[in-house]
Amino acid sequence: MNTAALSGALFKEGEACGACFELRCVDDPQWCKLGKPSLIITATDHCPPNPSGGWCNPPLEHFDIAHPAFGQLAEEKSGIIPVEYRRVPCQKRGGIRFTILGNPWFIQVIVTNVAGAGDVKSVMVKGDKVPWTRMERDWGETWKTGVHELVGESLTFRVKTTDGRSCTAWHVAPKDWQFGQTYEGKKNFRM
């Protein structure tokens, strides 16, 4: 539940999807929770700009926080609050997850549960016979390829995060993988 949609200035055309931020309500004693607790959120979406004006419009830096998480920082009826924020390493349990979508001619993979930097810079995939192939960012953490020969092959993914580190999930999807299924690797980035 600790997720947020980020304004374009922070979301960077989807490149910041998966990044983690620590937020703290500041300078608003009427609405901030006592003790100014902090909240770690994961960027999961884009907060679209409003042509009539709004908090998500450029060049504003804004976090549209999920309702259950907002109440951890401030009184829920407060609405918009001033925050200070910083990037922090993402702490995740389990391995990196790969949800495979598409059809036999077009494969999309949503990469989630990425620890460390959290935001993915590049993804490569290989099959049993298909060599390493660079995937193209579709949006956020959704990556795509038109290499249809991957269908029916065991899939290995190599994820590179924005801090330059790489993690490989060897044969994470078996030969009989199915579209719409999620497969979890055995590894993740260490802090």
Side-chain angles (χ1 to χ4, degrees):
M1 293 294 179
N2 289 3
T3 62
L6 276 55
S7 62
L10 294 168
F11 201 58
K12 302 176 186 171
E13 300 285 325
E15 291 180 16
C17 189
C20 294
F21 295 85
E22 181 179 24
L23 308 177
R24 186 180 314 276
C25 180
V26 295
D27 302 327
D28 199 338
Q30 179 182 359
W31 300 116
C32 294
K33 293 273 180 155
L34 289 176
K36 295 184 183 177
S38 66
L39 172 69
I40 307 291
I41 60 96
T42 301
T44 57
D45 205 354
H46 177 235
C47 180
N50 181 340
S52 302
W55 291 101
C56 294
N57 288 8
L60 297 177
E61 295 178 343
H62 180 74
F63 296 88
D64 193 0
I65 304 168
H67 184 74
F70 185 85
Q72 296 176 47
L73 285 179
E75 298 301 323
E76 292 186 33
K77 61 185 176 182
S78 61
I80 304 293
I81 57 168
V83 297
E84 61 183 17
Y85 70 92
R86 66 184 179 123
R87 278 287 301 265
V88 294
C90 297
Q91 296 184 23
K92 305 292 180 179
R93 290 194 171 121
I96 298 173
R97 297 185 190 121
F98 304 88
T99 301
I100 304 173
L101 304 173
N103 59 53
W105 299 274
F106 178 79
I107 298 173
Q108 285 183 311
V109 177
I110 303 173
V111 181
T112 57
N113 203 49
V114 179
D119 47 350
V120 177
K121 183 175 183 176
S122 66
V123 177
M124 295 183 75
V125 61
K126 79 179 278 321
D128 299 319
K129 297 176 186 164
V130 176
W132 283 110
T133 304
R134 182 170 301 278
M135 299 187 81
E136 178 183 339
R137 184 188 302 272
D138 195 21
W139 176 250
E141 292 308 338
T142 303
W143 300 80
K144 64 183 177 182
T145 182
V147 179
H148 63 273
E149 292 86 2
L150 290 166
V151 175
E153 295 202 9
S154 171
L155 301 181
T156 295
F157 294 97
R158 180 166 292 148
V159 175
K160 185 174 185 179
T161 51
T162 56
D163 61 2
R165 297 169 61 202
S166 294
C167 184
T168 302
W170 291 99
H171 307 289
V172 66
K175 288 182 186 225
D176 61 349
W177 61 265
Q178 299 290 311
F179 291 105
Q181 297 294 308
T182 300
Y183 302 91
E184 185 172 338
K186 291 180 174 52
K187 294 174 27 177
N188 209 327
F189 293 94
R190 295 179 188 245
M191 310 298 240

